[in-house]
Amino acid sequence: MRATQAGPDAPAVLDREKLYAARLHAARVRPYLATALFALHVVEERRVSTMAVDRYWRCYVSPAYVARSSPLELAAVWVHEVSHLLRDHHGRGERLARQKGLTGRGDRLRMNIAADFEINDDTFDDELPCPEDAVQPRMLRLPEGQLMEEYVRQFGLGAVDERLVWLDCGSGSDGLDREWELGPDGADGLAPHERDAVRFRVAEGINGRPGPAPRSWRRWAEEAFHPPQPWRELLGSAVRSAASGPGVGEDYTYGRPARRSAGLPGVVLPSIRHRPPRVSVIVDTSGSVSDAELGSALLEVSAIVRTLGGRRDLVTVVSCDAAARIAHPLCEAEGLPLVGGGGTDLRTGFAAALSAYPRPDVVVALTDGQTPWPSSPPGCRTVVGLFARSGGAEDDPYYTPVHPPDWARVVRIGPV
């Protein structure tokens, strides 16, 4: 990890047998990472003090470090280095550097340390002991379980101990090429499709048989090949689609006879009148919905008004926890009273929305989904904006997820 020059006591050759035995142990205690561990190609490099990786899945190894380390320590470093590549720290580091202007070597060191924090907080145990020089979030009094991008924001170079100045896990940890790396034209590097194939097989293995995989790896496997969706655009598209569908906003009127009346003398047929659709928004205000999510719901109400061409008179809002409140026409409300805090039963919210006059053409429900749903379709188009949930409930043996009904268009709302 730390760049250094080979000393006079450095061994003449790399002890590959010891190094590969350590990789075998790492694959035995972390079987879900086996595919990635054996995809790494070893390169002997005396200018690194321990081990480092580049974005092409080469692992640069110091012969001196292998000679002085135990097989268990080497196994831990194998897992650490391959974790940089699986978590795409090189790609994320490049994006973070562009966004925040982190171009100096000191900034790259911060990113390397932050990436190590993300990996090391749940990697080691009795079968895979923590290496002596591994950095941990608690060294800087930072919480565990965060991402590299979050850690980078929380410390500067002034907080970094002098012992960490030469920390270097290679370009695989931050995206900045090193002079001792072989680069894209060097031998034994993996092509982009081969790297994706390795990551895909690891993710499929964790999803198929998660076993002892930590929660952070299970979350990674779920998200690795399902990138976050632009939910705001999807929700707006769903509302527009529902509001412009066949039959929405149509009614019969005798104010103007239908043209077909000419074929039926003495009979007056009504014509079809098109009017702007009415939308009722049900906001889940139960105790499980946070203030931030309620704020997001208000933003979505504003977006729905814009979808209807600014017609606030066409939108009503129903706040609902275990009981529904009055449906407030948006044009009459100076401030939307989102009250609640109890349990959740959106069936009462649907009943209140559908009992309003005039009846809505589209119902939009913004909720975390932990609610009973109406047993039958409400008779109008329905869109459900589902607030994202992660962790917690999945560990409860009595937890039973409640999925939105099939008759509703569902858009998952969460960070992009």
Side-chain angles (χ1 to χ4, degrees), residues 11 13-20 49-51 61-71 74:
V13 295
L14 174 65
D15 187 349
R16 292 181 180 267
E17 184 176 351
K18 182 179 181 182
L19 184 65
Y20 293 155
S49 63
T50 56
M51 297 166 67
V61 182
S62 163
Y65 178 69
V66 173
R68 69 172 182 267
S69 302
S70 70
L74 291 174

Side-chain angles (χ1 to χ4, degrees), residues 243-267:
S244 60
V248 176
E250 293 181 349
D251 200 357
Y252 290 98
T253 177
Y254 286 93
R256 186 179 61 186
R259 287 177 292 180
R260 291 178 299 170
S261 298
L264 298 171
V267 178

Side-chain angles (χ1 to χ4, degrees), residues 1 19-20 33 57-58 114 147 165 172 179 287 291 316 319 361:
M1 296 178 187
L19 184 65
Y20 293 155
L33 300 180
W57 287 69
R58 302 187 191 95
L147 299 177
V165 169
E179 60 180 7
D291 291 343
T316 57
S319 60
D361 301 296

Side-chain angles (χ1 to χ4, degrees), residues 2 35 65 76 82 88 116 129 144 161 175 198 212 221 236 267 280 284 296 304 306 320 329 350 353 358 370 377 380:
R2 286 180 291 180
T35 300
Y65 178 69
V82 82
D88 191 28
D116 282 7
E144 296 182 346
D161 192 285
V198 172
V267 178
S280 183
D284 182 350
S296 177
I304 290 170
R306 289 195 297 274
C320 176
F350 273 90
Q370 301 308 308
C380 63

